[in-house]
Amino acid sequence: SQQGEEDPQALSIQEGENATMNCSYKTSINNLQWYRQNSGRGLVHLILIRSNEREKHSGRLRVTLDTSKKSSSLLITASRAADTASYFCATDANDYKLSFGAGTTVTVRA
Amino acid sequence: EPEVTQTPSHQVTQMGQEVILRCVPISNHLYFYWYRQILGQKVEFLVSFYNNEISEKSEIFDDQFSVERPDGSNFTLKIRSTKLEDSAMYFCARQGASSADTQYFGPGTRLTVL
């Protein structure tokens, strides 16, 4: 299996702090995608990083990818209460499916 | 990006009954997917659909499941005889022209099997 696995499982931070979560996977990938899910809701796409990219930014989000270590990180800067959600990495090995990790639950305290 | 919509948002059914989950409307996209998420668990791939054919399916996608795109827009997932363990959120996703593109998910259908 090439499923992504996130670390930590849960993260609690104060509003304004940065949140960092990591994702590891097992096999070669075409791209890696990060999603957010609010409790009981749908999956919102955050960012896609391709295997030949090392870093991408989108607003307060910064994603890195290290294919030699088979790992990725998602950094949320200056967190807000609205960032409270579960965050998932999903790997795409160009085989017509995404493999999801178990997610990191982020709680941002006001 | 055009959104993916799903109906119904919540479906309650009796064990053994057939359910049809719908993904609407879809246009100008080639790749479609169904995933499911049992409460508190990972999102799991069920099936991918390209050019009106199944591209790949997981072990979960057994003979009780089927997908089709009957009218060129709606993309449906049918479960013929539901089991208690089919209770989950079911997500439809779409993708653009390349399998390397982002997958955009719908809001999901919560299926409860009693």
Side-chain angles (χ1 to χ4, degrees), chain B:
Chain B
E1 290 284 348
E3 291 191 5
V4 177
T5 60
Q6 292 184 240
T7 61
S9 57
H10 193 184
Q11 174 93 45
V12 180
T13 189
Q14 294 292 325
M15 190 169 56
Q17 295 295 304
E18 174 183 286
V19 295
I20 297 176
L21 311 181
R22 290 183 172 81
C23 193
V24 295
I26 302 293
S27 62
N28 300 325
H29 290 98
L30 298 177
Y31 295 91
F32 307 99
Y33 304 81
W34 283 102
Y35 293 81
R36 79 172 186 189
Q37 185 182 32
I38 295 171
L39 185 64
Q41 297 188 21
K42 295 181 182 183
V43 176
E44 302 173 289
F45 167 79
L46 292 178
V47 66
S48 58
F49 195 77
Y50 168 71
N51 203 24
N52 293 327
E53 292 183 350
I54 290 176
S55 301
E56 187 170 348
K57 56 185 180 180
S58 71
E59 293 176 352
I60 303 167
F61 195 87
D62 60 22
D63 291 343
Q64 294 299 313
F65 290 88
S66 63
V67 290
E68 62 178 6
R69 197 177 180 199
D71 55 6
S73 63
N74 294 346
F75 179 45
T76 64
L77 173 69
K78 181 190 292 185
I79 308 174
R80 291 188 181 81
S81 179
T82 51
K83 303 184 285 287
L84 294 176
E85 54 264 39
D86 293 328
S87 294
M89 282 286 285
Y90 287 82
F91 295 106
C92 169
R94 64 154 181 89
Q95 194 171 40
S98 166
S99 63
D101 288 341
T102 298
Q103 289 191 24
Y104 291 97
F105 283 72
T109 293
R110 181 172 298 283
L111 176 65
T112 303
V113 182
L114 302 176

Side-chain angles (χ1 to χ4, degrees), chain A residues 89-100:
Chain A
C89 69
T91 53
D92 178 0
N94 204 22
D95 58 356
Y96 305 107
K97 64 185 180 186
L98 290 177
S99 295
F100 282 80

Side-chain angles (χ1 to χ4, degrees), chain A residues 19-22 34 46 61-63 72-76 87:
Chain A
T20 299
M21 60 210 86
N22 303 296
W34 284 91
L46 296 177
L61 305 180
R62 173 178 169 257
V63 168
S72 174
S73 68
L74 170 66
L75 168 68
I76 305 172
Y87 292 81

